[in-house]
Amino acid sequence: MEERYFTIGMAGHIDHGKTSLTKALTNVETDRLKEEKERGISIELGYAPLKLEPGVFVSVVDVPGHERFIRQMIAGVAGIDLVVLVVAADEGIMPQTEEHLEILQFLGVERCIVAISKIDRVDEVMLELVTDDIKERLSNTVFHEAPYVALDSLSGTGIDELKKLIGTELQTMDLRDAYGSFRLPIDQVFSVQGQGTVVRGTIYEGVVRKSTQLTVLPKGITVKARQIQVHHEEHEQARAGQRTAINLGGIERTAVKRGDVLVDSDHFLVTDTIDVALQVIGRKFAPLKQRTAVTLHVGTSEVMGKIVFFDRNELEQTPHEVLCQIRLDEQIVVRRGDRFILRRPSPVETIGGGWVIQPNGGKYRFGTETISMLRRHQQGTPKDLIMDALNKSLLLDLQGLMQQTSLGEITLKETLEEGLVSNIWLEIPRYGFSLTKTFTKIGVELLARLQQFHEDFPMRTGIGKAELIQSVSVNFPKPLLEYSLNLLVEQDEIQRYGQFVALARFSPHLPNEWRARMEQVIGTLEKDGFQAGKWEDYFIGSPLPKTEVAELTAYLLDSGQVYRLREDTIIHRTAFDQALNQLQLQTGRSFDLKQAKEILQLSRKYMIPFLDLLDELNYTRRSEDQRYWMEDKT
């Protein structure tokens, strides 16, 4: 049978018996601090193991009820699966009970058992009145179907019934994700002499094993799990849903604090701007103006920041969910779907709570367009979230997608596979994923850039590959451009010539504007044969711009229509071919300068450069005063 791990919380008003009830259930005194014992109130979170049926492991969190310790209460409740709401029979619903109820709902706690404590202090009539009052208060909450148990912690009345109720509720609850990346929001940090730094918290997801290398975020400090304990018992591992204490190697006590998060992978995003869906409390509160300072409680962290609205300048009591953003003074670690509480720092009061839509919020404009975008993110399926992330970042690997979407690794991989099959996105080996429509857009830009280049430089073979990529790299990552270019070559949209690329149907040609003038120059050069003059002299009196002369020269040489005989002289291919044929027909396997001169009747001015050109083009090979044909003339 699969082992099941849960954390339940004791919540309620101060002095309503939470700590006594925890002790009655677990036989553990959770008030450990001297001040707690002296004052009779819980200040820090208290934890104790609850034994139920075999295979079910439960940690009980006793959260402080006093209003001064509300932040500890939020930190403790953040990781629980079930809450036991403790209400004293002789006092009923009290202010802290009300606030705890609000916080529990904002944090997404959906299962509740109502424990009416101290029943030895009231008669049956009073107990019935208190019970009816509680039911009325819960009637409009997610806890309206919560079971009730009347008990007395000191005498033990009702304790067995409560244990049974807890077991029944837990049987139908889903387990936390033990297969994802490990995440432990830290709620306590202390030192043990001879052991070093110890952190404690409830594991939100994943599994941690002894000797594993971990990271403390947001600082990014690498540590090692030297020892793992669950309720003072050493274990080789701990998993989602368990309260655990981890002895960390490689970090000082002062370098870690409550609110930090312990992880085992790079899948978690460190951020200071989050997009959220906020639900405000159901009672009147002082309006919250645009960019008002707020305190955010998420996981075990408590961070100051400013609230930013995109559809209003002031927030008042409303039954509707508000899509907005919180810009924080410090970095935190959150994932999509994490629940939070928002409080006003002065005067201190709870404003509301909700969940994180996008952990990596951006700078958005005020208006309906931003609200529509946030709503899409809020309602998005895994596919939608991946598409939004790839729309924003264009190219993301698996780690980047996990950070941006906050999807679990299994869900992410399954969705990515589905998207590859349906061609919604493509995978670039070694780099990650990108939307197919992004490739289409890149392809259009690359083809348009090539078309423009051919129009500007029609005589060139093509543009250098590096130059083409650089010309559009301001909008797209280079790996995407490289991949797109290769894709266009495979699709016969683009052709390659060494380091140059061109449109598949393009051939270098003379520009229409100067075609007649250029053809006239080429014709004259061909007519002159080996009596060609200086190349620059052919353009005397010509209206051709110098840039066009340079382009024409390169075009003729690259296309093999002419050969450079000397630095200032080129000859037409016709003259070259005629001279080559004459030599091949009238010589044997080799010849010398004198023989060539007698055959071609060229002056030394042209003869020596021509023979050197034959060597350069590998028609001949020179050895002392002889030149040998590189292949049989036949």
Side-chain angles (χ1 to χ4, degrees):
M1 183 177 70
E2 182 182 13
E3 293 182 343
R4 296 163 62 83
Y5 299 91
F6 300 98
T7 300
I8 67 175
M10 294 287 178
H13 193 73
I14 182 175
D15 201 30
H16 273 211
K18 297 185 297 299
T19 302
S20 297
L21 179 54
T22 301
K23 184 176 181 180
L25 284 169
T26 66
N27 200 33
V28 174
E29 176 67 68
T30 57
D31 278 349
R32 308 173 313 279
L33 302 178
K34 179 181 178 182
E35 186 181 359
E36 290 178 323
K37 294 182 180 296
E38 290 176 349
R39 296 171 59 184
I41 61 173
S42 297
I43 297 174
E44 285 291 346
L45 304 171
Y47 302 92
L50 174 61
K51 295 179 181 178
L52 293 177
E53 60 185 273
V56 178
F57 301 88
V58 180
S59 295
V60 179
V61 184
D62 177 14
V63 300
H66 196 280
E67 62 180 353
R68 287 175 53 196
F69 309 120
I70 197 73
R71 66 185 181 89
Q72 285 94 329
M73 181 268 174
I74 294 172
V77 169
I80 72 171
D81 303 295
L82 165 72
V83 65
V84 176
L85 184 66
V86 183
V87 181
D90 59 341
E91 289 191 336
I93 295 285
M94 295 292 284
Q96 241 59 62
T97 315
E98 294 279 2
E99 187 163 22
H100 283 202
L101 274 172
E102 291 172 342
I103 290 170
L104 289 165
Q105 293 178 90
F106 288 142
L107 290 177
V109 179
E110 297 180 349
R111 296 295 187 92
C112 174
I113 296 173
V114 179
I116 304 176
S117 63
K118 303 184 180 182
I119 59 173
D120 59 312
R121 299 186 181 184
V122 299
D123 56 24
E124 290 187 8
V125 175
M126 184 62 181
L127 178 60
E128 186 176 342
L129 288 174
V130 169
T131 303
D132 290 342
D133 184 47
I134 298 171
K135 288 182 178 180
E136 182 179 352
R137 173 59 185 88
L138 299 186
S139 61
N140 293 320
T141 73
V142 294
F143 306 136
H144 63 278
E145 294 183 349
Y148 289 70
V149 58
L151 52 82
D152 175 46
S153 299
L154 298 181
S155 65
T157 303
I159 298 300
D160 289 339
E161 184 182 351
L162 177 57
K163 283 185 178 181
K164 185 178 179 180
L165 275 176
I166 291 173
T168 301
E169 289 292 319
L170 294 182
Q171 282 180 354
T172 59
M173 293 189 65
D174 293 331
L175 296 177
R176 289 180 178 265
D177 181 12
Y179 303 101
S181 300
F182 169 72
R183 176 168 56 141
L184 172 74
I186 298 168
D187 57 45
Q188 290 180 341
V189 184
F190 52 94
S191 296
V192 176
Q193 190 170 2
Q195 298 292 323
T197 303
V198 178
V199 299
R200 188 183 289 163
T202 300
I203 303 176
Y204 273 27
E205 52 196 314
V207 175
V208 61
R209 295 177 175 83
K210 188 176 178 180
S211 299
T212 302
Q213 182 172 293
L214 305 171
T215 304
V216 177
L217 296 177
K219 299 180 184 72
I221 302 173
T222 301
V223 296
K224 185 177 181 180
R226 294 197 297 203
Q227 189 183 73
I228 297 173
Q229 286 191 358
V230 178
H231 295 299
H232 307 292
E233 293 182 2
E234 191 168 345
H235 289 251
E236 287 298 310
Q237 68 174 39
R239 59 184 294 165
Q242 283 188 295
R243 287 289 305 173
T244 184
I246 304 177
N247 175 212
L248 299 180
I251 192 169
E252 295 294 327
R253 162 68 183 85
T254 53
V256 60
K257 63 180 180 14
R258 171 187 284 170
D260 287 346
V261 180
L262 200 59
V263 302
D264 68 349
S265 72
D266 297 324
H267 298 163
F268 296 95
L269 184 71
V270 174
T271 180
D272 60 8
T273 305
I274 59 175
D275 302 334
V276 302
L278 172 65
Q279 186 73 52
V280 299
I281 57 177
R283 61 182 185 276
K284 290 276 186 181
F285 60 88
L288 205 63
K289 297 184 182 300
Q290 179 76 285
R291 298 182 185 275
T292 293
V294 292
T295 304
L296 176 79
H297 298 265
V298 60
T300 59
S301 64
E302 175 186 1
V303 184
M304 293 291 296
K306 291 181 173 60
I307 190 165
V308 178
F309 304 113
F310 301 104
D311 60 350
R312 69 196 69 202
N313 288 311
E314 187 175 86
L315 177 65
E316 296 179 312
Q317 204 283 324
T318 173
H320 304 295
E321 205 168 40
V322 179
L323 303 182
C324 56
Q325 186 176 84
I326 302 172
R327 298 177 185 171
L328 303 166
D329 297 342
E330 302 173 37
Q331 291 186 319
I332 59 172
V333 179
V334 291
R335 300 191 74 169
R336 174 181 166 84
D338 281 359
R339 311 292 300 202
F340 69 89
I341 298 295
L342 202 65
R343 308 191 83 211
R344 190 198 304 271
S346 180
V348 178
E349 63 175 333
T350 299
I351 297 298
W355 62 282
V356 177
I357 297 173
Q358 170 57 267
N360 190 28
K363 299 288 186 181
Y364 315 132
R365 292 183 177 181
F366 188 94
T368 56
E369 186 176 338
T370 294
I371 294 298
S372 297
M373 178 271 293
L374 292 175
R375 189 164 288 115
R376 287 197 307 273
H377 287 182
Q378 178 190 25
Q379 300 170 353
T381 63
K383 183 180 79 172
D384 295 331
L385 296 174
I386 294 173
M387 291 182 68
D388 282 340
L390 293 178
N391 263 320
K392 180 179 179 181
S393 300
L394 299 183
L395 177 64
L396 288 170
D397 59 12
L398 191 66
Q399 174 186 326
L401 281 168
M402 291 189 73
Q403 291 179 342
Q404 297 290 340
T405 64
S406 291
L407 293 172
E409 189 170 357
I410 295 175
T411 300
L412 178 61
K413 286 183 176 179
E414 289 176 350
T415 309
L416 284 172
E417 189 61 36
E418 292 170 3
L420 289 172
V421 172
S422 56
N423 201 38
I424 297 173
W425 43 71
L426 299 176
E427 183 175 9
I428 304 175
R430 297 184 295 112
Y431 289 102
F433 300 84
S434 187
L435 294 175
T436 303
K437 70 175 185 178
T438 301
F439 284 104
T440 302
K441 185 176 181 180
I442 291 174
V444 169
E445 289 210 24
L446 287 173
L447 294 175
R449 180 72 184 90
L450 276 173
Q451 181 62 45
Q452 186 61 53
F453 183 86
H454 293 329
E455 291 175 6
D456 293 341
F457 306 100
M459 291 181 282
R460 297 188 188 182
T461 302
I463 187 173
K465 174 188 168 185
E467 182 183 350
L468 175 62
I469 289 178
Q470 184 62 35
S471 68
V472 293
S473 63
V474 67
N475 297 320
F476 303 101
K478 288 189 177 180
L480 269 185
L481 296 172
E482 290 272 5
Y483 190 86
S484 297
L485 202 59
N486 293 334
L487 211 58
L488 290 171
V489 171
E490 291 176 11
Q491 296 168 352
D492 294 326
E493 295 282 349
I494 287 178
Q495 54 187 331
R496 272 185 177 163
Y497 303 97
Q499 63 178 340
F500 296 100
V501 292
L503 293 175
R505 293 166 297 282
F506 173 78
S507 295
H509 58 273
L510 299 176
N512 293 332
E513 182 181 2
W514 303 109
R515 180 182 297 275
R517 298 283 185 181
M518 291 179 174
E519 287 178 344
Q520 182 181 0
V521 170
I522 296 169
T524 303
L525 180 69
E526 183 177 15
K527 182 180 177 182
D528 289 348
F530 263 98
Q531 302 305 315
K534 290 184 178 181
W535 177 236
E536 63 183 28
D537 292 345
Y538 285 86
F539 301 97
I540 294 175
S542 172
L544 281 173
K546 287 185 178 181
T547 53
E548 293 297 332
V549 171
E551 291 289 327
L552 175 62
T553 304
Y555 163 69
L556 293 174
L557 289 168
D558 291 343
S559 61
Q561 296 182 52
V562 302
Y563 292 98
R564 187 177 293 281
L565 204 61
R566 297 189 308 179
E567 185 64 30
D568 60 355
T569 306
I570 63 176
I571 59 171
H572 198 276
R573 183 180 183 111
T574 302
F576 175 86
D577 288 345
Q578 288 175 350
L580 175 63
N581 290 335
Q582 280 184 271
L583 276 181
Q584 287 178 328
L585 290 172
Q586 299 180 43
T587 61
R589 291 189 59 191
S590 66
F591 62 92
D592 58 17
L593 175 61
K594 183 179 179 182
Q595 288 176 282
K597 190 172 181 182
E598 288 175 353
I599 295 170
L600 299 178
Q601 294 296 306
L602 295 178
S603 67
R604 191 177 185 87
K605 172 183 176 182
Y606 293 104
M607 191 72 254
I608 292 178
F610 175 67
L611 294 179
D612 289 342
L613 182 59
L614 290 180
D615 295 340
E616 183 183 335
L617 296 176
N618 289 321
Y619 284 105
T620 58
R621 173 179 57 83
R622 182 179 178 179
S623 177
E624 296 182 354
D625 62 344
Q626 289 289 311
R627 279 183 165 82
Y628 296 86
W629 294 105
M630 293 295 288
E631 57 184 30
D632 195 327
K633 294 184 294 182
T634 60

